[in-house]
Amino acid sequence: MNSGELLERSLAYALGSVATVVPGSLGRATPCAQWDLGELLRHLDDSVDALYEGVAGGSVGLCPGRDAPDPVCAFRERAGALLGAWAVAAGEVPCTDIPVDVGGQSLELDVLAAVGAVEIAVHGWDVAQACGRPRPLPPALAADLFPVARCVVADEDRGVRFAEPVGVQPRSCPGDRLVAFLGRRPDPPRFLSGTGLVCLS
């Protein structure tokens, strides 16, 4: 799996979700119980900024940056900067050979990008839900992200960074499986059929 491509696809999806944010909506509730929409957008912005630090500078600080007055604009700008930094880094040497310091621990750059892609895509889903304009995760993207999520979310993360997984039907689409694994309730559920996705409302 190409981690850079995964990161680009996740950013594209999240940018589409952030485009649904309208003025005066930052106080809306989100699927992340501890955050309203404004706080979620700032967290998403911080995540992209941390990824940029890792890609461009080789280390990720553990302290979040300052709040941007316009988190939507900030996210768009940082997403562009991250994609530019990735293009430079990936053009130099294989990403598996680039170490990144994350709080004193060394992590390969392609692993950092894959984990960041999960965070960005799922929070993009959260943003769309909060805006009342649900956008299902693209099935191919969700199918590629799900193995990454299963590798990085441990039992001890439940109740701290993630809620308990939500049960879904065996035929649920990849996007519903991914968000349910990360403690979100897909609504309405979408199921796989022989010809594509079926949405049950």
Side-chain angles (χ1 to χ4, degrees):
M1 184 189 309
N2 185 316
S3 297
E5 180 186 346
L6 202 57
L7 183 60
E8 290 177 12
R9 290 158 62 198
S10 292
L11 281 166
Y13 169 78
L15 283 165
S17 295
V18 169
T20 68
V21 177
V22 297
S25 65
L26 297 187
R28 283 177 175 260
T30 74
C32 305
Q34 69 273 35
W35 292 325
D36 62 22
L37 180 56
E39 291 164 330
L40 173 60
L41 287 167
R42 291 182 185 96
H43 171 75
L44 186 56
D45 183 38
D46 283 341
S47 297
V48 175
D49 190 35
L51 284 167
Y52 174 80
E53 288 180 2
V55 173
S59 66
V60 176
L62 298 182
C63 296
R66 290 182 294 179
D67 287 346
D70 183 344
V72 170
C73 183
F75 175 70
R76 289 175 177 149
E77 291 176 354
R78 291 194 206 266
L82 173 57
L83 288 172
W86 180 269
V88 172
E92 293 176 352
V93 294
C95 292
T96 52
D97 295 338
I98 302 177
V100 179
D101 181 85
V102 182
Q105 301 293 319
S106 182
L107 195 66
E108 292 174 353
L109 182 58
D110 64 336
V111 175
L112 179 70
V115 173
V118 173
E119 169 123 346
I120 290 166
V122 174
H123 282 324
W125 184 89
D126 293 332
V127 169
Q129 294 288 115
C131 291
R133 298 185 180 182
R135 299 179 67 238
L137 280 156
L141 174 61
D144 287 341
L145 292 174
F146 192 57
V148 180
R150 290 180 65 90
C151 285
V152 299
V153 178
D155 289 342
E156 54 266 29
D157 292 318
R158 302 295 183 179
V160 181
R161 296 174 56 225
F162 300 95
E164 293 297 322
V166 173
V168 292
Q169 296 296 322
R171 292 176 58 247
S172 294
C173 71
D176 284 359
R177 285 187 210 138
L178 176 61
V179 299
F181 176 74
L182 296 176
R184 279 94 166 149
R185 188 171 301 281
D187 184 26
R190 285 159 290 274
F191 298 97
L192 295 170
S193 71
T195 57
L197 295 180
V198 177
C199 178
L200 300 184
S201 56

